[in-house]
Amino acid sequence: MPSISFEFFPPKTEEQRAQLDRTTALLKPHAPDYVSVTFGAGGSTLSYTGETVARLHREHGLEVAPHLSCMGGTRQEIAALLDGYRAAGYRRLVALRGDLPSGMASPGDFRYAAELVRFIRAHSGDHFHVEVAAYPEIHPQAEDALADLKHFKAKVEAGADGAITQYFFNPDAYFRFVDDARRLGVAVPIVPGIMPIANFGQLKRFSDACGAEIPRWIAKRMQAHGDDAEAIRELGADVVAQLCRRLLDGGAPGLHFYTLNRARPTLAILDRLH
Ligand code: FAD
């Protein structure tokens, strides 16, 4: 059975909280192995991640994986978060470097995610199942593809149990990345991150920022639909469901959905897969 997980961001208003509750109720019947909640660097959303995982765990009875990004954080701050998550009974984490928010001068005590993973293992032993990020289309700041892959390997050697990839629309990028990682001796599961397409303009902006490529054939077909949101959602669901099918058929161990706190685009894909 492939694993399935859903990623949420921490809501900040009552209205957003109610939306996440509705989304969770709609996605829960798909029996996720866990749900993860992103972490905003710079302190301001720190408490929201904790509050959100607590709500998903207590009120929805879900296994949770708070994201923990080390950029800007100190050892003491990270240790306090680890102790709090452990005391709350959580068993999973997604460990990231994060990005330095503009205006923040100091990167904090950690430079790279591998250092964070090493710290988590030193501080909390094997208590947490730790996922790290992987980039089939290469992280935008990497020197080159091989260097990026070696840095990924370093995170696994530091103690990561698995990886979730940045989203992509070209399955060959994923298969190639997994093959290369295996050749380097990386054995942990590498779960593809799946981005449902709901709002094409927003997706384009995201993709430019994080270095994910939108194939020309998808962009052209999306643009042909202009402002027809329903047609864009239908095409997006078809394209991404086909991607998921190819990934699973090719041996991907599961699917991690970037839900953006909305149920419909993810459900449209899951409906097509079943
Ligand atoms: P790293 O693995 O540290 O890599 C960052 C860059 O540094 C890469 O280019 C790598 O090649 C390079 N590098 C690594 N080690 C070295 C070294 N020793 N020497 C030189 N170069 C090195 N961001 C958030 O802020 N909050 C989130 O909740 C969040 N969730 C995410 C979830 C997933 C599944 C993914 C894929 C990304 C997520 N991100 C999140 C984004 C992530 O924080 C950024 O992509 C960030 O720029 C890199 O984080 P990382 O953990 O991959 O960093």
Side-chain angles (χ1 to χ4, degrees), residues 105-122:
S106 158
D109 288 345
F110 303 90
R111 273 175 317 156
Y112 297 110
E115 296 170 15
L116 174 63
V117 176
R118 212 166 291 121
F119 181 77
I120 294 170
R121 287 294 175 231

Side-chain angles (χ1 to χ4, degrees), residues 12 32 41 45 54 62 81 84 119-120 145 154 157 176 196-197 199 203 208 214 223 244 261 263 267 269:
K12 293 185 186 139
T45 63
L62 291 164
L81 279 174
F119 181 77
I120 294 170
E157 285 175 343
R176 177 74 197 220
I197 304 176
N199 175 331
L203 178 72
D208 289 345
I214 302 177
Q223 280 151 9
C244 292
N261 292 11
L267 286 174
I269 297 164

